[in-house]
Amino acid sequence: MIELHYYPSNASFAPHLLLEEIGVPYALRLVDRAQQGHNSPEYLKLNPNGLIPVLVDGDVVIYETAAILLHLADRHAGFAPAPGTAARADYYKWMVWLTNTLQAMLIHWFYPDRMAADAADVKAHAEVQIAPMLDQLEAQLQRHGGPWFLGGHYTAVDPLVFMLCRWTRLQARPAKARPTLAAYLQRVLERPATQRVVAKEQLPDPVY
Ligand SMILES: N[C@@H](CCC(=O)N[C@@H](CS)C(=O)NCC(=O)O)C(=O)O
């Protein structure tokens, strides 16, 4: 059975959403961050970076949130455009940009003390850089009118967008401050799979 090594609200949230959408059986394995479970020798064998999540899918042991989403969408039809199409290129573009640009900047915002002695300054600068990235998400949704991030179909990109937007909820101008993005986030939240994951991870309101 598929196993997702997770911690509530961590980067495992996006793969958790996709697994629930796919509807295959899977087991959740809690990585106890309070006890440094992500740095235990057993966990480091799964992910030498000591980061959550890890997915174990038969012989496949895979880390990196976006890679896990791509892998799941490869194994289970219906969550990615056909290979070789313009829509597939768009899907790759957004998946990679979201993880290597927006997610990376959000990590600086969450852990500014890792970047410089003046953590408050790093956090403030990261937030300034995140705002126009969120504007890009708004512009993308306005361009095609939705309902999902790439257009008419919910894809593996949607859980990543939803998770990263959720992570901005405590910022001065969170993702939901943008009207088209706010309506989109509400649509994702209302999906039955999202509701089940929110309940399983016991995420308090507001979710985003
Ligand atoms: N690039 C990684 C980042 C994962 C990541 O930063 N996970 C966080 C939780 S959201 C974590 O495990 N942090 C533990 C730490 O930094 O010590 C991915 O996308 O999987």
Side-chain angles (χ1 to χ4, degrees), residues 33-117:
R33 286 193 67 169
Q35 299 299 321
Q36 287 295 305
H38 54 304
N39 289 317
S40 67
E42 302 77 43
Y43 191 76
L44 291 174
K45 280 186 202 151
L46 299 174
N47 184 349
N49 302 292
L51 296 173
I52 299 164
V54 166
L55 186 90
V56 181
D57 183 4
D59 293 345
V60 173
V61 178
I62 183 169
Y63 54 82
E64 282 302 313
T65 304
I68 293 170
L69 294 170
L70 290 164
H71 166 76
L72 287 172
D74 281 353
R75 286 236 162 137
H76 305 278
F79 294 92
T85 61
R88 183 72 164 211
D90 204 39
Y91 163 80
Y92 287 140
K93 178 193 76 179
W94 281 110
M95 192 71 92
V96 172
W97 182 85
L98 286 162
T99 191
N100 77 5
T101 306
L102 177 53
Q103 184 179 355
M105 194 56 68
L106 278 161
I107 298 290
H108 293 329
W109 187 79
F110 277 114
Y111 304 106
D113 50 308
R114 294 179 181 175
M115 299 306 295

Side-chain angles (χ1 to χ4, degrees), residues 104-176:
M105 194 56 68
L106 278 161
I107 298 290
H108 293 329
W109 187 79
F110 277 114
Y111 304 106
D113 50 308
R114 294 179 181 175
M115 299 306 295
D118 191 345
D121 199 40
V122 171
K123 198 171 178 83
H125 277 82
E127 191 163 332
V128 165
Q129 296 206 46
I130 287 164
M133 298 178 190
L134 299 174
D135 292 341
Q136 285 195 51
L137 304 185
E138 173 80 354
Q140 158 72 359
L141 286 162
Q142 286 180 349
R143 196 156 32 240
H144 60 61
W148 309 114
F149 192 71
L150 297 183
H153 296 282
Y154 184 97
T155 69
V157 169
D158 288 290
L160 189 54
V161 174
F162 187 71
M163 179 183 82
L164 299 179
C165 287
R166 163 178 161 72
W167 286 357
T168 70
R169 70 195 181 283
L170 299 180
Q171 296 187 356
R173 192 158 173 265
K176 67 179 169 211

